[in-house]
Amino acid sequence: MALNNTYDARPQQETAVGAGVQLLLLALLGMAIGMGPAGWLTGLAFAFATWAVLARALHRSCLRTFGPANRVTLGRATLVGGVTALVADSFESAPPVTLLVGLTAVALLLDGVDGKVARRTGTSTALGARFDMEVDAFLILVLSVYVAMQLGPWVLLIGGMRYAFLAAARLAPWLNAPLPPSFARKTVAAVQGIALLLAGAELLPHLANLAVVTVALGSLLWSFGRDVRWLWRTSRTPVEAPVTAELLELAAR
C-alpha cells in the first residue's frame, strides 16, 4: 500500500509544480504590464481549476507517472492561463498585442508536440489525450472572446461550438459514440487557432480579418456537421450480434 501511495504522489506533485509555474507566469505578466484585478482573478481561477480538475483526473486514473507528453501539455496549459489572464485584462485596458500573440503562438506550436512525444515514448493514455483536447478547446474559446470584441459576438460560435456539442450529447447519448480518425477534422481544428491568432494580431485590414474568421467558422460548421451526420447514421445502423461457435454448430445440425 505504501508503494502505491508513493507512485500516486508523483503525478500529484507535478500538477502542484505546474500550478506554481502558472502563478509565476502571472506574477511576471503583472510586473510587465501592470495587470488589473480582472486579469489576476481570472488567471488565478484558471490555475486553481486546472490543478483541481487535473489532480482529480489523475487520482481516478491511477497513473503511476505523469509522463513526458503530459508535461508538455501542462506547459501549454500554463501558456493558455497567461493568455486567459491577458484577454480578461483587455476588458479594462488594452494588453500588449505582441505579448498575447507570442504566448498564443508558442501554445499553438506546441500543440502537436505532446502527441508526438507520447507516441515516441509509448506513454499515450486516455487522460493525456483528453487533457490535450481540453487545453486546445479552452484556448480557442479564449481567443474567440478576444476576437469577438473586434469583429462581433458571432465569433463566439467558434469557441463555443465544442461545448455546445458536449451539452447536446447529454441529451442525445448517441453523440458520445467514438468518431473515426480524420485528418480533415484535425486540419479544421488547427485552422481555428491560426485564424483567430491572425485576426487577434490585427496585422491585416478589418475586412481581411473578417474573411479569415468567417472561412474558419464555415469550415468548423462543416466539420461538426459531417461528424454529427456520421454519428446519427451509425446510431441508426443495427448492430449484428456476433455468431459464436455454438450457434454455428447448432445451425449445422
Side-chain angles (χ1 to χ4, degrees):
M1 183 65 69
L3 182 62
N4 290 336
N5 288 339
T6 301
Y7 280 123
D8 290 344
R10 293 180 183 179
Q12 300 292 354
Q13 290 170 357
E14 296 202 42
T15 61
V17 171
V21 174
Q22 180 73 82
L23 296 179
L24 177 60
L25 177 60
L26 292 176
L28 292 175
L29 292 175
M31 290 187 295
I33 67 172
M35 196 161 55
W40 273 106
L41 291 175
T42 304
L44 291 173
F46 178 89
F48 177 78
T50 301
W51 168 78
V53 172
L54 188 55
R56 181 181 179 185
L58 285 169
H59 178 73
R60 296 178 63 180
S61 64
C62 299
L63 289 181
R64 294 189 172 187
T65 59
F66 195 60
N70 285 334
R71 294 188 187 103
V72 176
T73 309
L74 185 58
R76 289 179 50 234
T78 301
L79 296 175
V80 172
V83 174
T84 302
L86 291 175
V87 171
D89 193 61
S90 68
F91 285 92
E92 297 180 343
S93 61
V97 176
T98 54
L99 182 58
L100 190 148
V101 169
L103 291 177
T104 302
V106 175
L108 291 174
L109 287 173
L110 289 175
D111 185 18
V113 174
D114 42 15
K116 292 181 180 179
V117 171
R119 288 188 292 271
R120 289 182 179 180
T121 58
T123 55
S124 299
T125 62
L127 173 62
R130 181 66 183 271
F131 185 24
D132 177 46
M133 185 185 304
E134 295 302 334
V135 171
D136 292 342
F138 194 80
L139 176 59
I140 297 302
L141 176 62
V142 171
L143 290 177
S144 67
V145 171
Y146 182 70
V147 176
M149 291 188 285
Q150 306 167 23
L151 301 181
W154 62 271
V155 182
L156 295 174
L157 290 172
I158 294 178
M161 197 169 300
R162 179 176 179 272
Y163 297 99
F165 179 84
L166 293 177
R170 290 182 174 273
L171 301 176
W174 54 270
L175 290 172
N176 289 313
L179 287 164
S182 170
F183 178 77
R185 187 187 307 117
K186 293 181 179 180
T187 302
V188 169
V191 165
Q192 307 310 306
I194 296 172
L196 291 172
L197 175 61
L198 186 61
E202 300 183 31
L203 297 175
L204 301 176
H206 180 79
L207 288 179
N209 286 332
L210 186 64
V212 167
V213 178
T214 300
V215 170
L217 176 59
S219 67
L220 188 63
L221 288 169
W222 169 81
S223 180
F224 268 93
R226 188 187 67 157
D227 287 343
V228 169
R229 184 181 180 184
W230 186 90
L231 290 169
W232 171 259
R233 286 184 172 181
T234 303
S235 68
R236 291 294 180 262
T237 302
V239 179
E240 296 183 0
V243 181
T244 62
E246 291 82 359
L247 290 176
L248 288 173
E249 184 178 354
L250 289 173
R253 291 179 184 176

